[in-house]
Amino acid sequence: MSAIGTVLVTGGTGQTGRVVTDLLHRRGVYVIVASRNHPREPLTPGVRHLRFDWADPATHDDALREVDSIYLLPPPLDADPVNVVDGFLRRARDAGVRRTVLLNSSAFPLRARGLHAVRLTVQQLPEWSVLLASGFMQNFVGTHPTAVAVRERHEIVAAAGDGRTGWIDAADVAAVAAELLTRADHDNREHVLTGPEALAYDDMAATIAAEWGLPVRYRPVTAAERTVQLTEAGLPRPFVDALVGADVLTASGAEDRVTTEVAQIAGRAATSFAEFVRRHRG
Ligand SMILES: NC(=O)c1ccc[n+]([C@@H]2O[C@H](COP(=O)([O-])OP(=O)(O)OC[C@H]3O[C@@H](n4cnc5c(N)ncnc54)[C@H](OP(=O)(O)O)[C@@H]3O)[C@@H](O)[C@H]2O)c1
């Protein structure tokens, strides 16, 4: 086993958590995967699953036992997770947790409370990193509403105008997290993580059309229209607000940027959208 000690991976069965777990395990780190449900696939021998629920503080102390570092995924779909995460991090500090790497989104408007406020709490810890990740390319595959609209209606609908985003592969986010959880020379810092290019939805529709052979088009709508659509589709209100908020920020040009943090930290080129789409053909 490595000298890093035990890492607790919250959301360890999710898109980034699975990859973080795998990368840490391959480095010889002892990993505890924390989530409400046991993963469907068997875990790699040596990796342990622990039932952990943000909504059930009775599960929190067990998760922190003999843990040195945490990959922190705040409760998904909770628009104001500060109180529950604050309490957990206080316990973490008392339990001797040294390092925390928080996953957060760069596309949520900065406000005192809400999703971004967790950032400020994490920064009270001895060693911390905050990952401000751009939109995940994974939103175009699987069960995400964007992916469903692409497959079933051949359209991308958003209130993002012609704003661009530096879309990123969630696996690249995970690679950065694994590195920051294990590197010796740590500095407490925020990292804006993007893919290699900033793309508008028109560009993405064209790439998907070319690679998947689907006549995909981008249909821009207003923020109010998008809110109604997503609400009528049955999405929970905090998720609707987060998605539409991200669109509005994108339309303003705030997400039109590219950083080199993935290459600098993970030591490999960030995946391009064309490459990602090619890999997910079919
Ligand atoms: N999608 C994007 O474009 C984007 C961009 C930037 C940042 N992000 C951030 O990425 C985060 C999602 O990360 P991801 O994609 O790696 O995760 P994910 O695939 O959405 O999976 C969520 C994970 O959290 C666990 N979970 C859900 N509710 C929980 C609860 N109440 N208590 C404990 N665990 C719970 C899930 O397992 P169980 O259900 O079994 O508990 C699962 O392991 C979001 O918070 C978002 O802010 C997303």
Side-chain angles (χ1 to χ4, degrees), residues 166-217:
W167 293 90
I168 188 165
D169 183 347
D172 290 336
V173 175
V176 169
E179 179 62 28
L180 291 173
L181 283 161
T182 51
R183 60 163 48 167
D185 55 335
H186 184 81
D187 55 353
N188 297 346
R189 191 155 94 65
E190 295 193 341
H191 303 269
V192 176
L193 306 181
T194 74
E197 58 201 333
L199 298 169
Y201 280 122
D202 268 336
D203 306 326
M204 303 175 90
T207 302
I208 293 172
E211 292 293 342
W212 291 354
L214 297 176
V216 176
R217 303 284 291 272

Side-chain angles (χ1 to χ4, degrees), residues 11 13-16 35-37 52-54 73 103 133-134 136 139:
T13 55
Q15 297 182 122
T16 58
S35 63
R36 292 168 304 177
N37 305 295
F52 173 82
D53 188 348
W54 282 111
L73 205 86
L103 172 61
S134 183
F136 289 176
N139 296 357

